Each structure stands twice: as structure tokens, then as C-alpha cells.
Amino acid sequence: MITGYFLRQGLNRWIIASLVVILAIGILVPAANLLLPAGHPLHVPSYIVALFGKYLCYALLALSLDLVWGYVGILSLGHGAFFALGGYAMGMYLMRQIGTRGVYGDPTLPDFMVFLNWKELPWFWSGFDQFWFAAIMVMLAPGLLAFVFGWFAFRSRVTGVYLSIITQAMTYALMLAFFRNDMGFGGNNGLTDFKDILGYSIQSDQTRAALFLSSAVALALGVLLVGALGASRYGKLMVAVRDAEDRTRFLGYRPEFVKLFAFTASAVMAGIAGALYVPQVGIINPGEFAPANSIEIVIWTAVGGRGTIIGPIIGAILVNAGKSAFTGLFPEYWLFALGALFIAVTLFLPKGIVGTAMHGWDALQRLRAARRHEEGRHDGPAASQPEAAE
Amino acid sequence: MSETALALAEPDEPDVMTGAEVAASGKPAGHREDTILYLDGVSVSFDGFKAINNLSFLLREGEMRAVIGPNGAGKTTMMDIITGKTRPDEGEVFFNGNVDLTRHDEPAIATMGIGRKFQKPTVFEGHTVDDNLALALSGVRSIFASLAHRRTIEEERRIVEILETTRLSHLRHTSAASLSHGQKQWLEIGMLLAQSPKVLLVDEPVAGMTDAETAETARLLRDIARSHSVVVVEHDMGFVRDLGVKVTCLHEGSVLSEGTIDHVSADPKVIEVYLGR
Ligand SMILES: Nc1ncnc2c1ncn2[C@@H]1O[C@H](COP(=O)(O)OP(=O)(O)OP(=O)(O)O)[C@@H](O)[C@H]1O
Ligand SMILES: [Mg+2]
């Protein structure tokens, strides 16, 4: 068991280290793509930049799930919905940048609306020609959904498996809704054929480099946020709610609000991840709402180690790199491999990769402390517990 | 507060009612205004089963009361009703003489000053002893305040004080999960103190403790009772005798007998349903 004492000391160091690594990757990878000539041994090809940019978004998504699952104990099986909503908000902005370059050449209506014989833009598409408006919507749409959903679910004290099931139902319902053409989000095909973002061609290496760097910065900010929340008194409260929700109530806390705050913040993070993902993959469609996607996020987080900060990031990157490699070799067996991985981690590494490593490190520290204690016995117990107020 | 505390020091209170008197009157003795807890005519049933049946119970400010009774007598359910976990079907439940507890929920009741230790010790196992106490400390309760809160010197002082009172100082930075059963009970009592409540409801504090720990706990509770009102539920008659306070025996959801320990343990009804078994 990791004591809070070690956690506090160890965590800050880990957070700083991971921030440095993330930002270094964010700068070095695009630089190696843009600045080094194609033949250079350290040159990073463009498709790798796109691929790893996608992984960074997945990592942010896994981190957002970790905030609710790892810290507050809410197993959301619908986090893909918040990711997809952020993605759609960004997709709507990108659609409106196409302008007359669409197949039908309509200056305001996206192609699919012309195809459906719509005469004017639905009201909920207005404003999306402005980047700032879309950027707000990227956070507001998932945040609002999470707030309203959480308000009802947490206040009626829905917990555990039941909560997981209704989050899954939520993303499934949204998938069905977005599949319908008359919802006005492009139905089956979703939103695609993007041309520009902020006036820059979405295909160019420079834009891709900027998107990669933005994803790395977003991930770093996510790490900072989760780290700061985790270290605050609110962070302790989150863990308390996770471990003994009822007890917090009898101490005078309102666990439903503790959950609501984390759930909403987490949904906003997931939305931002989705918004950065869409321009890098060039499409958003209702498939992103698929329940299986949300379950995959849970697997990444479990593999890396929930309740740790870098665990979900490592899990998301490793599993997705594995997926890319595996689907290249045996495409039809990937789901079996994923299932087997999940079972193996649950059985052999219940704390995940990072959780297990931290556990080992902590045990080592305690062993050392015990040995030191043996040697300097006469110090007395008071001397071994120096700690100032927080 | 000090007068009542002094009165408590007297082992044989002159105004203790006998069980027969309580049963005969059917109404709790005394005025609601003089009480810190006042339950009258309270009933609650679960799927038709009456767990609490026309229960009347009152506690004066500064008083410590021991509650005994066979399994299923409704002792824990009574605490559930006081703390807002269970709503009574009928009856009055008042705190401080004038606050109707049936209109408030658990967090509201807790912040009013009613603290509770559970029958099964529940501490936050993912946290250290120190963090458990810090979370219990009265004060910051809103989300936004807790985001920015830094521990104050006063809070630090209170934690150190509670650690000493509960003899957990040497375990301050130990994870609560690795405490012994008895230590967890003590930590939970410490968390209760940290809340600085007016009333402490303590459900089976010595279950699973060694004799030495039990004696220590009695000492601790007597100490706490000097400045708080306390209700202690316990099966351990030796421990109850050690507390040296008025005893209420519950049976099938209502008061069977009430008075001094000698009076209650000599009551034939109590012997029949509880002690004689
Ligand atoms: N939420 C509930 N739903 C259904 N029945 C309940 C509930 N709470 C308590 N009961 C029942 O009410 C009765 C009184 O239970 P309670 O826990 O108050 O007894 P107790 O006096 O604390 O007993 P013990 O000494 O075993 O702790 C029991 O029969 C119990 O099964
Ligand atoms: Mg009980």
C-alpha cells in the first residue's frame, strides 16, 4: 500500500518528469519531421507524426477517464461519448471552413445538407464558422451533458454497475441519434473532407506538426490538472468518496457534488481530446460513440494503472501501438488479443503496469526506511516522522 | 456545559427514571427544550417489519448514555434515524430541542454537530491516518473551498491533539488500511472528535478489541463525555459497567428498561430477553 506520505513526495517528481517528457516529445517529433531531410536516420515520416498525434489524444482521453475511475471510483463506460462530442464540435467548424470547395460548391451548406435538399443551415450549426465559438462548444457540449447526466445520476445515488450501465446506454443512445440523417450531423458518414483549420491546409506537414504539438500541450495541461486536483484536499476527498462514499456523507460532505465536479471536468478533458483528434484523422462519424470504444478506453487505463497519472497515458499509447502493429499482421484477431490482454492484466497486474511499478518502488523505500530504522534505533519514533504542515 | 459535566461525574443520578416509570408514562420524561436529542413515538418499518416501534429516547446536553439490547433490537436503526440515513414513518426527532432532524439529510445533520461511528469500522483505507483526520476536521466542506484549501496551523494543532488523545501519534503517516481492528476503531473515534460534534453516536466501539484495549476505550469515552453528549451502543456489559452511566435497554424497537446499570441488569425483562441467554 502506497502511503500518502510517499505518494505526495513521489508524485510531484513524477508529474514534473512526465511533463518534461511529454513536452519534449511534442517538440522533437514534429521537428524531426520538418527539419531533417527525408533520408536522415532520425527523420520522422509524416504518417508517424499523424499516428502518434492520435495516440496523444487517446492518452488525454484515458487520463480523463482516470480522473473519474481511478480517483472517484466511477467506472464510466460512456466516456467515448464526450470524446465524440468534442470531435463533432471541431468537425462542425472544419465543415464550415470548406466553403465553396465542397462537391456542390454551396458557400454555407455542407455537402450532406445540400444532398438532403436542405435549404438553410439548422440553428445549431450557426456560430461554428468561428473558431472561438467552436472551441467553447468543444468544452461546453460534453461538459454540459456530463453535468446534466451526473446531476440526475449522482443525486439519485446511482452507483457501481448500474451507473456503468447507464453511461453505456448514454453513449449507445447518442450513437443511434447521430446515425440518423435528420439529426443534422451528417448521419452515417459523419463529417469529413476537411480542407483548412484556422486558414492553414489541414494536410500540410506544418499543420500536422502544430496539431501534434497542440496535442502534447493539451496532454501536459491534463497531467498538470489531474496532478493538482489529486494533491489538493479535494483530491483526498475524491479518494475518500471512492473508498467509502457513505462515510463522507456522515462527515458532512456531499459526495454527489464531489462526483459531479470530477465527472464534468473529465468530460471537458475528453472533449478537448476529441477536438484535437478529429483534424488529425480527418473524419468524425457516429462510430466514435460505439460502446466498444468506451470499453477500450477502460482497458487502456487498466493496463497502464488506474489512479496513477502516467499509467493511463502509457496504457493508451502501448495498447494503441500494439493495436496498430497487430492489426497490420492479423487484423481479424485484434479483439481477441485485446480481450486476452485485459484478462491478463486483471489477473496478474491488477494495479496496471505503472501501479505495479510504483508499488514495488514503495516497498523498496519502506525496506530501506526499516533498515535505517534498525541501524538508528535510538532516534526514537518521533525522529522518523518529520513533516511540516502542508 | 460544565454543570452537566459535573452532574455526570456522580455515578448515581437522583433523577434517573426507572424502567417501570418510563413504560408507564409512555412519554419521555422532561421537556424537549432541555434535550440535545429527543425522540418521541418514533416508528419505522422495513417491508412490514417494525424495526423501531413507538420509541422514545431522550438525551440531555452533556449526558453520556449506554444503549444495550439483543441483536436486531433496533440500536443501529435508531442511530440511522438520528443521522438522517433512515426516515421514520412516524414520530418526532429533535436535535438541540428545536431542530427537526426528519427534515434534514445526512451531510446537513453531520454539519449541525452530530457525529457517528459505525458498527463496522469505516475509515478511508486509501489514506493515511493523518489524511483521515484532516478530512474529518470540521470546517471546509464545499468543493470549491476544498480545491484551494491548505492546512492551517490550527488544523495541524488539532490533528496532533487528536492523535495524542487516541494514541495514534506513532501511526500518523501509516496507511489506514494497515491498522489493526482496534486501531481502526480508535481512528474512527478520532475522526469523530475532529468533526467537533455536539453529540457523538458510537456504535459498538469495542467489538473485536482485547480486554486492555476495551478498558482504554472506556477511559477515552469517559474523557470525551466530559465535553460532549454521547450515546454508546455496546454488548460488552463489563465495558458498559465501566462507563458508569445511565443505561437504556432496547428490545424489538422500543425501550424495555432504563436506569442505572444495576437497575437494568436486575430487571427480569432484561434478563429474560438479553442477559439470560
Ligand atoms: N435498511 C434495512 N432494511 C431492512 N431491514 C433492516 C434495515 N435496517 C435494519 N433492518 C432490520 O431492523 C432490525 C433492527 O436492526 P438494527 O441493525 O437496528 O439492530 P441492532 O440493535 O443494531 O442489532 P446488532 O446488535 O446486531 O447490531 C433488524 O431485524 C434488521 O434486520
Ligand atoms: Mg447494530
Side-chain angles (χ1 to χ4, degrees), chain B residues 75-77 119 203-204 233 235:
Chain B
K75 305 180 295 292
T76 300
T77 308
Q119 183 162 353
D203 203 350
E204 305 205 11
V233 165
H235 285 292

Side-chain angles (χ1 to χ4, degrees), chain A residues 124-275:
Chain A
F124 50 86
W125 273 77
S126 52
F128 277 96
D129 51 333
Q130 301 293 322
F131 183 79
W132 64 265
F133 182 82
I136 291 173
M137 284 305 165
V138 158
M139 296 184 270
L140 196 64
L144 203 63
L145 173 65
F147 185 84
V148 172
F149 181 93
W151 179 267
F152 289 107
F154 301 143
R155 278 171 53 98
S156 18
R157 301 195 183 174
V158 182
T159 55
V161 184
Y162 300 99
L163 188 79
S164 300
I165 291 171
I166 59 170
T167 55
Q168 179 106 98
M170 172 192 76
T171 194
Y172 188 65
L174 282 168
M175 179 179 76
L176 296 184
F178 274 74
F179 262 128
R180 294 173 54 233
N181 278 329
D182 41 359
M183 270 287 280
F185 296 104
N188 220 348
N189 301 321
L191 311 175
T192 187
D193 291 331
F194 310 133
K195 308 282 190 241
D196 300 334
I197 180 166
L198 289 169
Y200 299 99
S201 162
I202 209 157
Q203 305 285 356
S204 80
D205 280 353
Q206 284 77 4
T207 309
R208 291 194 167 282
L211 285 168
F212 186 96
L213 178 61
S214 310
S215 308
V217 169
L219 180 58
L221 289 175
V223 167
L224 216 56
L225 177 78
V226 176
L229 286 181
S232 70
R233 180 176 166 125
Y234 171 72
K236 304 216 162 103
L237 193 50
M238 288 196 288
V239 173
V241 169
R242 180 191 73 192
D243 290 349
E245 178 174 345
D246 263 339
R247 194 74 189 81
T248 63
R249 222 173 251 132
F250 292 101
L251 287 178
Y253 292 104
R254 297 197 175 270
E256 55 273 30
F257 293 149
V258 176
K259 294 177 173 183
L260 191 59
F261 181 84
F263 197 62
T264 308
S266 163
V268 171
M269 274 172 76
I272 293 172

Side-chain angles (χ1 to χ4, degrees), chain A residues 7-97:
Chain A
L7 199 73
R8 263 204 303 281
Q9 288 204 328
L11 207 67
N12 293 335
R13 209 180 307 146
W14 288 35
I15 289 175
I16 292 165
S18 40
L19 285 176
V20 170
V21 171
I22 292 166
L23 290 176
I25 291 175
I27 293 166
L28 294 179
V29 169
N33 170 252
L34 293 178
L35 303 179
L36 299 176
H40 195 281
L42 290 179
H43 174 79
V44 177
S46 298
Y47 80 92
I48 293 281
V49 177
L51 194 64
F52 276 86
K54 202 171 86 171
Y55 294 169
L56 290 177
C57 298
Y58 287 152
L60 182 58
L61 177 57
L63 185 61
S64 79
L65 179 74
D66 190 39
L67 179 61
V68 289
W69 187 32
Y71 286 84
V72 203
I74 306 166
L75 174 54
S76 166
L77 293 179
H79 249 53
F82 305 126
F83 181 80
L85 283 177
Y88 266 97
M90 177 58 92
M92 288 162 80
Y93 163 76
L94 296 172
M95 284 308 265
R96 298 213 48 192
Q97 299 310 297

Side-chain angles (χ1 to χ4, degrees), chain A residues 362-378:
Chain A
D362 187 55
L364 199 73
Q365 291 289 312
R366 258 183 301 141
L367 206 69
R368 280 208 205 123
R371 204 169 296 148
R372 236 178 293 130
H373 189 68
E374 282 291 300
E375 285 161 7
R377 253 222 124 81
H378 310 293

